[in-house]
Amino acid sequence: MSRWPLLMAAVVVADAVAAEPVALPAGTQLQRPIAIVVWPERETAIVALERAGTLVEVDYERGAVNRTFGPFGVVADMDRLSPQQAIVAVSDPPSLVVVDVQANASGAHSTLRWPTRPTGLRVSGDGQRVAVVSRGARLVRCLQAADLKLPDAGSSIALPFQPGRCLWLPDHRHLLVADAYGGRLAIIDAAAGELASVRSIPAHNIAGLALGRNGERVYLTHQAIHGGAQTSREDVHWGGILTNVLRSVAVRDLLDPLADVLAHNVTVHLGDIGRAAGDPAGVTIRSDGVAVATFAGVNELAFDRGLGFEWKRVTVGARPTAVALTPDGQQALVVNTLDDSLSVVRLAGEGTVQQTIPLGVPRELSAGERGERFFFDARLSHDGWMSCHSCHTDGHTNGQLVDNFTDGTEYTPKRVLSLRGVRDTAPYAWDGHLATLSDQVRHSVTSTMQGEPLADSQVSDLVAYLSTLAVETEDRPNTDQTLIARGRRIFDRLECGRCHTSPSYTSAETYDVGLKDERGLDRFNPPSLRGLRAGDAFLHDGRAQRLEEVFQDQRHRLSAPLDEDELPALTAFLKSL
Amino acid sequence: MMSRRFHRALVGLVSLIAVSGSAWCEDAPVSAVWDSANGAAVAVERNTWLVDEVIEALAQHHVDGLNRAELTERWLQVTQRNDEVPVSPTATLSRVFQGLANAVLRPSVNDGPRSALETDNPPTVRLSLERLLQRTEPSSIDGAWMQFFDRVPGTPRLIPAAEARVQAQFAANAYVGLGVTAGNKDDVLVFPSILPGGSAERAGLPAGVKVLAIDGWSTLHQPVNEGVNRIRGPVGSWITLRIQDEKGERDLAIQRDFVRFVTVHGWNEQPPGPRRDNPSEAPAPSLPDGIAYLRCGQLGGSTVHELRQAELQVRRAGQQAVILDLRSPERAGDVKYAQLVADALLDEGVLWREVDRQGRATEIRSDRECLFRGLPLAVLISSYSQPSDLLLAAALRDAGRAVVIQEHRHVLANLGLPVVSNPLSNQSGQGIYRYQEVAVAEGRWMLRIPTVRIDRKEARWPVTGDSVWHTVHWQAPTTGLPNAIAPQQAALAKESKRLLAQNPALPVALQRLGPVGVAVQHLQQALSQKAAS
């Protein structure tokens, strides 16, 4: 556990606030609304726009944007700090911003520099605590809201996984942190400033967390991949290989580190054959127990009175990722991330979209943006079970093993590879038989996702989007450069670069590295080593859980064991790539 | 006269099986597909070629690592024995009947992996006696194959390529067709029943409709299986039927579509009680409210999906325990789907171990997803259960997830042959296998080879139930052989008493539910233990 000085640059800025209604942001790219909080005092909702870097206040009755706050940078998340203030996690430049949303004439705000890139935050139900997670740095930091101005508030807690969503439990003391990619759940005791437990559930892409109505249960939206099944038409069709899930677990099981977190679990499989519910995301539970969730891959808002029996599904905008309820619970406000819009849905009868409020100026999308929409669109798959994102979470990997026939065999599940930096790593697939990214895209959609063949324009759009996915460099560990330089020398001495050739740290051939899959495949195309630090499993079947195990246990291409001090140097170098 | 009686008896039995089988799943003896148009000599010659190929494939892939010499020896054993049988019209007829009796009886009374030439629903009985007589020589080839495969562990199967595709469709619950059953009446093709949800139903075809022609091909005097083959085709393709019903004759174009079967029945049904020999007896009592009853007709591609849906219903009804009835398979199951279902019903742990040709063992594990979590589970198996059903039951029992109730069914057929059946009794040393298909005969045939042996977590095969129930099925003989049956009945009664004495005392009310009652007894015990803890 380390403590960082919190540098606070207290600034009071007078933002230009236009007369109502304000002009919408008209950037050169999608503004990407990502988070929403309803503000009952003002009968409005505040929406955070990732790329615009702003907050907007939306009058959902009138269907107009009242005010804009910011820009603050690249916005990662937002929550309500107090009736007067919203708090914003800004990933670039890394900072927290507290915005006064009640101020009439100006959006006064204060900015706190943050030592790592914040990727999510949550304020406890009593408003006393703030939790900030940093995905790449695998850290969570909990602090008292009152201490936000102190230079050294709270303490950072290291996590064994990259944190994604988080949720304060009803005691306002314990924080649930979900894996950004896989299925791990951590409980943080904020009062003690320590990690209370880490457990796993059969899940990946945990994209939504919500408290149940009486605070006894936590609801999670996620996906699950099932071993023993393949990405055949039948296994996709029947939900054999991948399912979309709304799960609730008991808070008491979460709080007891020795309890089976699934002991009182209830699982609802979302969607049905013929109409799946790919990529469930935002979720909230109404005071009468009605579950309201977005199915982000199929552009739907769904609600259900009986928890799984009678879902009503309403089409909204592109990639609805977040949802909030109006104070009377009669309407759902749905954030359409790739449409720059907010859908207002009446939660009665079959459900009705009452209005769609634009949050940006409609314009022609770039190839990359069109490709991004395809990437997150489960309708490209058979019946809408999965999108590219379902396995390559946000362009990275869900860390699962999938038996997807890419190497032409069955019962040979392979680790899903990250797509960060993918444009530089041709050829593709573990056996390297797909020469170009276009080939891989076509193969994935028709074979793995069992979708219809893509048009050429769709393929080139997807490739354009994939080409924008870069290895994250901001989260390189702050390691001693001497150690890294030593690791590089070991890397060179061992001739690792013969297969993992700089600058992409891969090469076009396949190699026998002493590994065999279940059907005897013993030649693999080397995955790129760039961005390796973001991995949670290594080698084709994920047999090494830590990078060190690749050398210690698997003795990957080693003729003799590494010396005790060589291993830290080599892994430090690899993690710096 | 005797033969005619014999034949009628077989038809009677088959009709029982056909109800639960897939009535259009046709057989395809080697002789029929391996092109005997050029005469028996050519067929025999080609068969020799096929034998070489099959032995080679088995030697290469069979999990037990059998060598060519051993396999050749086994082939010679069966063919030489066949050669010793004098080929006379009477002898041939007798042999045909023997094969027919095997084909018809064995699926109903014996549960091991079946030989290649027995299909789930042997339609041979639909052929006239004259047609059978025309096939003497090729039939003897078929018989040899059957005997040969019976001598190879895991009983490989030789299946026409098209049939293998159809079987894979059935296993995955993705059969493509019109959604009809097929039969023969007045020497033309008829559809005795129309399945709900199929394209024939959507086209408004009535049950019992006569089909005079398929895409211009007349069905008059043609075997049913040929008609069925013509009905099959790619999903979405069109077929034109010349039909005749009460409205007269007309052409009808229908699009082939997936025919999906329900594999999990019964969450809202009452289970069948024990067979009542006296119809005036009161029906079996209902199940207690808190216990759900699910009858699984197949472990197929859709089964996990259906169990998920059933779980919602069970939880909504507030039921506290579940009976999963695997006693009466309707279609062939598959180890792959047994794995998916076992995985879905089990919370983390080892399902079983799979051993490959090199002797490497792999643990097949379950993830933490678990349907009916916290609800006690009882699984019913019978001597009719498929190997995949038994595998599932064994996995659930070995992990402590379920109690297994085993029903021994004794069929007293009017042939006077009581069959005391015991799952895997003939294969107790062999166990259950995963199969891999290898194309032979220029891709016309698929050889299904056992390539992986499945070992139970700790116990050995066969799976033995925690409790045993004994059921005697009595079928009134059309021509009585009461004297032959009486002693068998007495023997069965004794055996039945012995086995039932192994069970805990069953309350009278539950006795009326038969083996389901035994399951209820176990579940009630589990629930009271759970409540006490």
Side-chain angles (χ1 to χ4, degrees), chain A residues 359-396:
Chain A
L359 303 176
V361 177
R363 59 176 187 78
E364 196 173 333
L365 301 181
S366 67
E369 286 172 330
R370 289 194 302 269
E372 184 177 3
R373 275 196 179 173
F374 291 134
F375 186 85
F376 289 98
D377 192 343
R379 295 170 306 176
L380 293 192
S381 71
H382 173 67
D383 286 349
W385 283 98
M386 67 189 91
S387 67
C388 308
H389 162 76
S390 301
C391 283
H392 299 285
T393 312
D394 296 321
H396 187 44

Side-chain angles (χ1 to χ4, degrees), chain A residues 188-442:
Chain A
I188 306 294
D189 181 344
E194 61 186 28
L195 179 63
S197 68
V198 177
R199 283 163 290 178
S200 286
I201 59 171
H204 70 272
N205 286 2
I206 301 171
L209 295 177
L211 270 182
R213 55 176 165 163
N214 53 14
E216 291 177 356
R217 302 187 74 79
V218 167
Y219 290 78
L220 309 91
T221 50
H222 66 81
Q223 297 182 292
I225 284 177
H226 306 286
Q230 289 90 35
T231 55
S232 63
R233 168 55 67 105
E234 289 72 28
D235 285 359
V236 172
H237 176 86
W238 293 111
I241 177 80
L242 182 145
T243 44
N244 300 291
V245 177
L246 173 64
R247 180 189 301 274
S248 75
V249 295
V251 168
R252 68 175 190 274
D253 293 333
L254 286 167
L255 288 175
D256 178 357
L258 300 178
D260 175 358
V261 75
L262 296 180
H264 301 90
N265 145 96
V266 175
T267 306
V268 176
H269 292 92
L270 302 168
D272 201 349
I273 57 164
R275 193 179 178 195
D279 298 344
V283 61
T284 186
I285 308 296
R286 201 164 71 177
S287 58
D288 61 354
V290 166
V292 182
T294 62
F295 300 162
V298 291
N299 301 349
E300 288 178 333
L301 181 278
F303 60 101
D304 176 58
R305 185 172 295 277
L307 269 187
F309 307 124
E310 294 154 1
W311 286 99
K312 308 294 183 194
R313 298 170 62 170
V314 186
T315 298
V316 291
R319 200 178 179 221
T321 55
V323 60
L325 300 180
T326 53
D328 63 4
Q330 297 305 305
Q331 292 162 302
L333 308 177
V334 185
V335 171
N336 304 311
T337 298
L338 294 183
D339 251 356
D340 287 352
S341 67
L342 185 75
S343 298
V344 181
V345 180
R346 183 166 167 72
L347 300 176
E350 296 300 305
T352 320
V353 177
Q354 293 179 309
Q355 55 180 327
T356 303
I357 305 169
L359 303 176
V361 177
R363 59 176 187 78
E364 196 173 333
L365 301 181
S366 67
E369 286 172 330
R370 289 194 302 269
E372 184 177 3
R373 275 196 179 173
F374 291 134
F375 186 85
F376 289 98
D377 192 343
R379 295 170 306 176
L380 293 192
S381 71
H382 173 67
D383 286 349
W385 283 98
M386 67 189 91
S387 67
C388 308
H389 162 76
S390 301
C391 283
H392 299 285
T393 312
D394 296 321
H396 187 44
T397 167
N398 62 3
Q400 309 292 301
L401 300 181
V402 179
D403 197 1
N404 67 1
F405 303 114
T406 302
D407 41 18
T409 53
E410 56 180 358
Y411 300 109
T412 54
K414 302 280 190 305
R415 183 167 61 82
V416 174
L417 287 165
S418 174
L419 300 180
R420 291 177 184 164
V422 71
R423 68 176 174 185
D424 301 322
T425 62
Y428 301 97
W430 277 99
D431 64 353
H433 81 284
L434 295 164
T436 67
L437 202 45
S438 299
D439 295 340
Q440 176 67 71
V441 164
R442 288 181 199 279

Side-chain angles (χ1 to χ4, degrees), chain B residues 18-154:
Chain B
V19 169
S20 61
S22 40
W24 52 86
C25 187
E26 302 295 328
D27 81 331
V30 174
S31 49
V33 177
W34 190 238
D35 187 12
S36 58
N38 295 321
V42 174
V44 170
E45 185 186 316
R46 289 185 176 170
N47 195 57
T48 308
W49 181 24
L50 185 60
V51 170
D52 288 344
E53 260 197 280
V54 167
I55 287 178
E56 180 63 27
L58 288 174
Q60 270 188 33
H61 301 288
H62 195 286
V63 62
D64 287 356
L66 303 165
N67 64 40
R68 285 168 195 77
E70 282 175 296
L71 290 160
T72 307
E73 176 64 28
R74 286 176 205 195
W75 175 255
L76 289 175
Q77 281 171 5
V78 299
T79 48
Q80 282 167 1
R81 202 167 67 177
N82 279 352
D83 289 346
E84 286 160 14
V85 180
V87 180
S88 69
T90 319
T92 306
L93 183 61
S94 151
R95 224 158 69 205
V96 167
F97 275 137
Q98 190 188 344
L100 186 59
N102 279 338
V104 172
L105 282 172
R106 295 177 81 217
S108 69
V109 296
N110 196 346
D111 304 280
R114 297 168 191 167
S115 105
L117 303 176
E118 294 172 358
T119 60
D120 294 329
N121 178 37
T124 5
V125 289
R126 298 200 190 93
L127 303 179
S128 66
L129 284 176
E130 288 74 15
R131 281 182 181 277
L132 285 171
L133 280 169
Q134 284 166 10
R135 305 189 338 175
T136 51
E137 280 308 315
S139 289
S140 70
I141 295 172
D142 297 351
W145 277 115
M146 202 148 68
Q147 293 171 36
F148 170 64
F149 286 141
D150 281 350
R151 282 166 168 73
V152 178

Side-chain angles (χ1 to χ4, degrees), chain A residues 38-45 57-61 66 327:
Chain A
V38 170
W39 229 270
E41 297 84 350
R42 297 182 60 83
E43 297 181 353
T44 59
E57 181 178 55
V58 182
D59 181 336
Y60 47 83
E61 292 297 338
N66 285 345

Side-chain angles (χ1 to χ4, degrees), chain A residues 200-202 222 224-230 232-235 237-240 242-243 245 247 260-269 271-273 307-310 382 385 410-411 516 518-519, chain B residues 168-169 172-174 258 260-261 300-306 308-309 311-317 334-337 339-340 343 347 356 360 362 365 367-371 373-374 434-436 451:
Chain A
S200 286
I201 59 171
H222 66 81
I225 284 177
H226 306 286
Q230 289 90 35
S232 63
R233 168 55 67 105
E234 289 72 28
D235 285 359
H237 176 86
W238 293 111
L242 182 145
T243 44
V245 177
R247 180 189 301 274
D260 175 358
V261 75
L262 296 180
H264 301 90
N265 145 96
V266 175
T267 306
V268 176
H269 292 92
D272 201 349
I273 57 164
L307 269 187
F309 307 124
E310 294 154 1
H382 173 67
W385 283 98
E410 56 180 358
Y411 300 109
K516 243 185 205 177
E518 294 83 347
R519 297 277 172 166
Chain B
Q169 287 179 357
N173 205 349
F258 290 109
R260 309 288 194 192
F261 298 94
S302 61
T303 306
V304 171
H305 171 81
E306 292 175 58
R308 287 175 189 146
Q309 294 190 320
E311 186 192 25
L312 287 179
Q313 306 292 354
V314 166
R315 295 219 183 256
R316 179 154 68 170
D334 188 291
V335 165
K336 170 183 165 171
Y337 297 114
Q339 180 183 338
L340 296 189
D343 187 356
D347 178 6
D356 69 10
R360 286 179 304 220
T362 309
R365 301 189 66 89
D367 67 20
R368 289 226 55 201
E369 202 63 82
C370 177
L371 291 171
R373 181 185 293 274
R434 250 187 221 275
Y435 292 77
Q436 195 178 334
T451 51

Side-chain angles (χ1 to χ4, degrees), chain B residues 253-283:
Chain B
I254 309 183
Q255 199 170 17
R256 294 182 182 93
D257 197 0
F258 290 109
V259 182
R260 309 288 194 192
F261 298 94
V262 175
T263 68
V264 179
H265 312 265
W267 64 267
N268 56 355
E269 292 175 9
Q270 282 300 324
R275 193 184 181 91
R276 285 178 297 144
D277 293 333
N278 180 359
S280 64
E281 263 180 52

